[in-house]
Amino acid sequence: MKFTLGKEERLKSRKLIEQLFREGKSFALFPFRVFYMSGGLPPGIFLQAGFGAGNRNFKKAVDRNRIKRLTREAYRLQKHALEEHLRAKAQPLALFFIYVGKELPDYPVVSAKIGLALQKLIKETA
């Protein structure tokens, strides 16, 4: 099993991201807010994810970039259960993780919360 997060697995379409925020569902799992939406992805792709951190709480770009890097790494290592679940159901899913905490996190906290969020997504899409 390859633990990769390639170009086709990243949510980059501005149109799809706007649709996700406008029409998708969301839940909060502190320190993250997770937006998700079924469908809308290109054929053959079952899971795309985006990551963000607001500049209201983190004025320096290096801090925002670090948060996004930690979140991407935690997601990359734990996404396989969700991906297999979606492939079995043939249900594409677009998601976006936004960090809403006020202080810089460390990796174990981010990893634990991303794992919980992915488990919750599996239950929500079941």
Side-chain angles (χ1 to χ4, degrees):
M1 184 181 304
K2 294 179 95 177
F3 296 98
T4 61
L5 186 61
K7 187 176 182 179
E8 66 281 349
E9 298 175 79
R10 296 186 187 217
L11 185 59
K12 294 183 286 189
S13 166
R14 184 176 298 271
K15 192 166 100 175
L16 187 57
I17 292 171
E18 288 174 0
Q19 182 183 5
L20 174 64
F21 288 134
R22 196 173 52 248
E23 301 169 9
K25 299 176 185 172
S26 70
F27 63 88
L29 189 64
F30 190 81
F32 289 100
R33 181 130 189 100
V34 182
F35 290 86
Y36 65 99
M37 179 181 71
S38 293
L41 296 179
I45 297 176
F46 288 98
L47 185 60
Q48 281 190 342
F51 308 92
N55 61 356
R56 180 179 293 168
N57 294 329
F58 301 99
K59 302 296 183 197
K60 297 180 180 175
V62 287
D63 293 338
R64 294 190 302 272
N65 291 341
R66 176 171 172 74
I67 291 168
K68 291 186 284 186
R69 194 166 46 246
L70 290 174
T71 308
R72 277 194 307 265
E73 177 69 5
Y75 171 78
R76 179 183 72 85
L77 294 173
Q78 299 179 47
K79 69 177 178 163
H80 293 290
L82 177 61
E83 194 170 29
E84 289 172 6
H85 171 73
L86 294 172
R87 283 187 190 279
K89 296 189 75 152
Q91 177 185 8
L93 187 72
L95 25 124
F96 204 95
F97 295 92
I98 298 180
Y99 185 82
V100 294
K102 299 212 181 300
E103 61 272 341
L104 278 172
D106 54 344
Y107 181 74
V109 171
V110 171
S111 181
K113 293 299 181 169
I114 291 292
L116 289 174
L118 293 177
Q119 290 301 318
K120 187 166 182 171
L121 282 167
I122 289 173
K123 289 178 187 172
E124 294 275 333
T125 58

